Amino acid sequence: MRNVNSKDMPTESKAEDVLNKVDPKSTSTSIVRTKSVSRKYDLKIIIPVYNSEQYIQECLNSVINQKNTYKIKIQIINDGSTDKSADIISKYSKDTRIEIISQKNSGFSEARNTGLKKLESNYIMFLDSDDILGANSIQNLLDKAYETNSDIVEGSFIRTRKNKLISGISHKNMEDVDGDVLFGFPWGKIIKSSLFSEIQFPVGLWYEDTIISYLIYSLSKKNTTISDVVYVYRYNPLGITVLSKNNIKCIDTLWITELMLEEIHILKLKGSDRIVNLFFNQVILNFRRTQNMNNEVKKAIFVRTRLLLQKYFLNSSFDKKFDVLNDALLENNFKLYYIICALS
């Protein structure tokens, strides 16, 4: 931190110029025209697939071999795979529960949005093509959803690497939990389709999953957790989380933060302590994601972050643990902000 100081801070307009030259701000949106919701199925499982030949069979088998008493639809979106994924997927076409959609490669957001074009089920589940469902997860999640009339039901999950357990996070069986208890991932849960009637994943931005914590959890009125392991996440050493720190697209973490706060305002979602605390946690996460960028970029992100705090949360109440971070931003103290984020 020897070269970290609060000197030569850019102006607001200069900060925006610096960031736009490196990673232009996207004009994408998460808000779409209201979609109708039908109740043809109890659950639709949306599985985007791109070059997943190594894992897709295990993934799909974990779904079709589930024993459950509900009416489900499995929607596989082949997002322009160039390996053998399409051939493997085609072998499942005779299963009447499965619909296969092929499209040119457009990315995770577009693939998931393809699945969201028709809201034809009570609940939606997202499953990544290199992961698998836990045993009886569909039955357990839907049983609890109908029993409690919950908007979201989330279970426990485990992480594996080379088929070995490396970590996991467990839930307790609880009703009416706040959104901050839930994971920020789209997977590992079922979500009422109606929550997506005006929401999609923003296209062209990294960290598109951010809509879950900011928008979907803000729309949800009742959340429930179950202790059952419903999802097995396969750690990918070549995934975006690992590789993004040296890529200029990591600046998207700021752009999507700005987008989420703007769209919460547009949708007139009620503000809460959860959102302001989420924002401060996001500030720290944004720092970590961009910490390998040069100081000019990091100072520009600091200036833009300070503007967000002043615009949306100037007189808000928040957890005391964020007091110093709040002061660092308001006092334009980049060095203090840097130290707090680096040590958090």
Side-chain angles (χ1 to χ4, degrees):
M1 297 183 185
R2 291 177 181 176
N3 297 323
V4 177
N5 59 67
S6 298
K7 300 178 181 179
D8 303 318
M9 298 301 295
T11 62
E12 296 173 9
S13 59
K14 176 64 175 177
E16 186 170 12
D17 288 343
V18 167
L19 296 174
N20 273 315
K21 284 180 182 178
V22 181
D23 177 31
K25 186 175 182 178
S26 172
T27 58
S28 185
T29 179
S30 307
I31 303 174
V32 294
R33 182 173 57 87
T34 303
K35 296 169 282 189
S36 61
V37 182
S38 66
R39 303 287 189 268
K40 188 175 180 180
Y41 305 96
D42 293 296
L43 177 69
K44 180 161 79 170
I45 305 172
I46 298 173
I47 311 173
V49 178
Y50 177 71
N51 289 354
S52 300
E53 63 179 11
Q54 186 177 356
Y55 306 114
I56 187 59
Q57 183 170 320
E58 184 180 7
C59 171
L60 295 179
N61 285 344
S62 77
V63 179
I64 65 172
N65 292 331
Q66 295 264 324
K67 295 180 180 179
N68 73 93
T69 56
Y70 295 100
K71 189 173 184 181
I72 68 171
K73 179 175 183 176
I74 306 163
Q75 196 169 60
I76 306 169
I77 297 95
N78 176 25
D79 191 42
S81 296
T82 57
D83 63 358
K84 296 179 181 179
S85 294
D87 294 334
I88 297 171
I89 293 168
S90 66
K91 297 176 182 178
Y92 293 83
S93 60
K94 293 182 180 180
D95 190 319
T96 57
R97 300 169 298 175
I98 290 179
E99 177 185 16
I100 301 172
I101 299 175
S102 295
Q103 62 185 39
K104 67 178 182 179
N105 180 242
S106 303
F108 241 124
S109 290
E110 283 280 30
R112 285 173 175 158
N113 289 342
T114 295
L116 292 172
K117 285 180 179 177
K118 288 185 179 180
L119 301 178
E120 51 192 338
S121 57
N122 282 337
Y123 290 91
I124 286 174
M125 172 189 282
F126 296 102
L127 173 61
D128 290 353
S129 58
D130 51 354
D131 299 333
I132 63 176
L133 293 185
N136 303 314
S137 60
I138 293 175
Q139 186 75 41
N140 293 336
L141 287 167
L142 283 171
D143 279 351
K144 185 57 67 173
Y146 284 125
E147 175 191 332
T148 60
N149 191 29
S150 293
D151 293 321
I152 298 173
V153 180
E154 182 174 270
S156 304
F157 77 92
I158 58 174
R159 292 187 183 95
T160 63
R161 183 175 185 179
K162 296 180 180 180
N163 294 321
K164 293 183 179 179
L165 176 66
I166 57 174
S167 63
I169 299 181
S170 299
H171 274 312
K172 295 180 180 179
N173 295 314
M174 298 176 65
E175 290 185 37
D176 295 315
V177 300
D178 292 332
D180 57 3
V181 174
L182 304 177
F183 312 136
F185 321 116
W187 43 261
K189 58 178 69 67
I190 59 174
I191 304 169
K192 268 191 179 176
S193 294
S194 57
L195 298 187
F196 284 98
S197 63
E198 296 181 276
I199 302 297
Q200 66 174 2
F201 290 90
V203 177
L205 279 166
W206 278 11
Y207 315 112
E208 72 282 349
D209 294 355
T210 309
I211 68 165
I212 301 297
S213 292
Y214 280 89
L215 303 183
I216 297 301
Y217 292 171
S218 294
L219 289 165
S220 178
K221 293 182 174 60
K222 184 172 184 178
N223 308 312
T224 296
T225 57
I226 60 176
S227 61
D228 306 84
V229 173
V230 302
Y231 201 89
V232 180
Y233 173 84
R234 194 188 307 271
Y235 174 78
N236 181 3
L238 298 178
I240 186 174
T241 303
V242 179
L243 300 181
S244 65
K245 290 182 180 179
N246 294 309
N247 192 305
I248 58 175
K249 285 290 284 180
C250 69
I251 296 172
D252 279 2
T253 193
L254 171 70
W255 297 140
I256 201 161
T257 303
E258 292 190 2
L259 179 65
M260 292 300 95
L261 297 179
E262 179 184 348
E263 292 186 334
I264 283 176
H265 178 71
I266 292 172
L267 292 169
K268 298 180 179 179
L269 300 177
K270 291 182 178 180
S272 67
D273 291 347
R274 187 186 73 83
I275 296 298
V276 65
N277 290 328
L278 181 61
F279 167 74
F280 281 117
N281 279 316
Q282 187 80 44
V283 171
I284 296 169
L285 178 59
N286 291 353
F287 173 87
R288 291 175 180 168
R289 286 172 171 172
T290 58
Q291 62 185 338
N292 288 349
M293 296 289 100
N294 61 46
N295 272 341
E296 184 181 37
V297 168
K298 286 189 281 194
K299 285 185 175 181
I301 290 172
F302 171 83
V303 170
R304 298 290 296 183
T305 301
R306 182 170 180 262
L307 285 174
L308 293 176
L309 175 61
Q310 292 173 323
K311 182 177 181 179
Y312 294 106
F313 305 114
L314 195 55
N315 297 308
S316 299
S317 300
F318 48 83
D319 286 351
K320 289 186 177 296
K321 65 181 180 180
F322 298 122
D323 280 347
V324 181
L325 178 56
N326 176 71
D327 292 343
L329 287 164
L330 292 181
E331 295 169 6
N332 206 26
N333 190 332
F334 176 72
K335 185 171 184 177
L336 180 58
Y337 150 88
Y338 196 106
I339 293 171
I340 295 167
C341 292
L343 298 179
S344 295

